[in-house]
Amino acid sequence: MLDVPTVRLTSLAHGGGCGCKLAPSVLQDLLAGQAQGGPFERLLVGTETGDDAAVWDLDGGTAIIATTDFFMPMVDDPDHFGRIAATNAISDIYAMGGTPLMALAILGMPLGKVDIATVRAILGGGAAICAEAGIPVAGGHSIDCPEPVYGLAVIGSAPRGRIRRNSTARPGDALILTKALGVGVYSAAFKKEALGQAAYDEMLASVTKLNRVGTQLAQDEAVHAITDVTGFGILGHGLEMARGSGATLRLSRAALPVLSEAESLVQQGFVTGASHRNWASYGHEVDLPEGAAEWQRHLLTDPQTSGGLLVACAPEAADRLLAAIHAAGYAAAARIGTVEAGPGRVVVEG
């Protein structure tokens, strides 16, 4: 039985959302020396570039996309937690240019601390987002776990020619970001009960908005590379694109979209531990503007839960694509920089 008093979900977890991810440097160490695909010639995308999902060539024309993502709660409302986690997990399929087909639930709950109604609401929230994406939750697995954990394994597909990787940006490309930054800042404020209702609603609207525009973008030959921005922040995921593409990403700090209260809250000290870990992992590969304040850096390393898509596209198509992204309902989307020939680094301008 799980018939126990309801408690704040966030009080049961040491972290929340994509801020739970291992630091980039730790993940690199864990994967070092691992086989990159071995004799599996049909494995089109594996672990080699830290891409968003694995891709398997099914028959020379159709590619199967597989991913998994799960984390601890960043909010207390169980339905919201389920919706956020599901939206975040499905995003990896869209980031590869695919269409999701089905999902499997991943559930870990501390028995005796979380009641049945709460668990049902988490599962229900996730199922609701899956229904919005047009896919079933076809099964799953659950365990007794010290902290609440929920997420999905998701299977999708795409024509092989429409797969978009994070490692195929080209010098001269324009960069577009489809959602505002600052989710980690908001979640830090929420955990300390310092986030107002309007800001909470703003965050929830962003993190439960499916990145389905990725499927649309992948149909356009002017779109060269896509990745979603999650736990490593815009700098970390931009750096993965830069390294994989063998190019330098130049970002305009002033052009980056941010949630309406993110700058104010981060200046008050609402920062996640993941933001510090992110900078410690990859700061040596990033050039910041001279005199940049620490709070400005934290917005760049802020872990995004269910963040937007970072898109590299032909510069002459950028305005057209941005207009299409806006028309698809991503009001915060903006051109944020360029790709240029150079080492795999990220350069931030004021």
Side-chain angles (χ1 to χ4, degrees):
M1 289 288 290
L2 292 176
D3 191 11
V4 296
T6 301
V7 297
R8 288 191 70 189
L9 284 174
T10 53
S11 72
L12 300 175
H14 74 278
C18 285
C20 298
K21 290 177 71 169
L22 294 176
S25 59
V26 174
L27 187 59
Q28 286 178 339
D29 287 344
L30 289 174
L31 295 176
Q34 297 289 324
Q36 298 297 307
F40 302 105
E41 295 180 358
R42 287 177 148 186
L43 182 63
L44 302 180
V45 182
T47 62
E48 59 276 3
T49 60
D51 222 322
D52 297 295
V55 181
W56 183 267
D57 181 2
L58 184 63
D59 55 13
T62 300
I64 296 298
I65 308 167
T67 186
T68 183
D69 212 313
F70 52 89
F71 47 61
M72 292 169 284
M74 57 183 283
V75 295
D76 292 322
D77 185 299
D79 174 77
H80 293 174
F81 173 37
R83 288 173 183 269
I84 294 166
T87 307
N88 181 75
I90 298 170
S91 178
D92 288 340
I93 302 295
Y94 294 130
M96 302 302 297
T99 299
L101 298 175
M102 66 176 178
L104 304 173
I106 299 165
L107 180 71
M109 286 292 140
L111 297 178
K113 295 182 180 179
V114 178
D115 62 16
I116 290 175
T118 296
V119 180
R120 284 177 177 161
I122 293 169
L123 295 173
I129 288 295
C130 287
E132 186 179 333
I135 63 173
V137 179
H141 187 65
S142 60
I143 63 168
D144 181 8
C145 189
E147 297 178 285
V149 172
Y150 175 69
L152 301 174
V154 190
I155 303 298
S157 69
R160 179 171 172 168
R162 290 184 183 172
I163 293 294
R164 292 297 184 269
R165 302 193 59 173
N166 68 352
S167 57
T168 48
R170 306 175 188 176
D173 278 352
L175 294 170
I176 296 172
L177 180 63
T178 65
K179 288 186 183 182
L181 304 173
V183 173
V185 171
Y186 272 37
S187 64
F190 177 82
K191 191 148 189 177
K192 295 182 179 179
E193 301 185 36
L195 191 71
Q197 186 63 47
Y200 180 90
D201 292 344
E202 179 189 24
M203 177 183 72
L204 185 66
S206 179
V207 297
T208 57
K209 184 169 184 58
L210 289 163
N211 277 327
R212 65 170 85 237
V213 73
T215 307
Q216 174 186 336
L217 291 169
Q219 297 174 27
D220 197 309
E221 292 185 359
V223 174
H224 300 148
I226 306 175
T227 191
D228 66 346
V229 177
T230 54
F232 300 157
I234 184 64
L235 289 185
H237 293 285
L239 186 58
E240 286 181 333
M241 181 177 284
R243 288 177 186 145
S245 304
T248 296
L249 266 60
R250 187 173 295 273
L251 306 181
S252 168
R253 188 180 62 193
L256 291 170
V258 295
L259 296 173
S260 62
E261 296 183 29
E263 291 190 357
S264 172
L265 288 168
V266 75
Q267 289 181 71
Q268 296 174 52
F270 294 107
V271 175
T272 67
S275 181
H276 293 283
R277 293 192 296 273
N278 283 341
W279 182 251
S281 293
Y282 55 63
H284 61 286
E285 297 178 84
V286 174
D287 297 320
L288 296 180
E290 186 176 353
E294 186 176 20
W295 69 266
Q296 293 172 322
R297 191 198 77 204
H298 278 305
L299 285 176
L300 300 172
T301 56
D302 188 52
Q304 304 307 290
T305 299
S306 192
L309 300 177
L310 177 62
V311 181
C313 65
E316 64 274 12
D319 289 342
R320 171 178 61 81
L321 291 168
L322 183 59
I325 293 168
H326 285 155
Y330 303 82
R335 289 182 66 166
I336 65 166
T338 58
V339 181
E340 59 187 39
R345 294 183 67 83
V346 175
V347 177
V348 182
E349 298 179 332

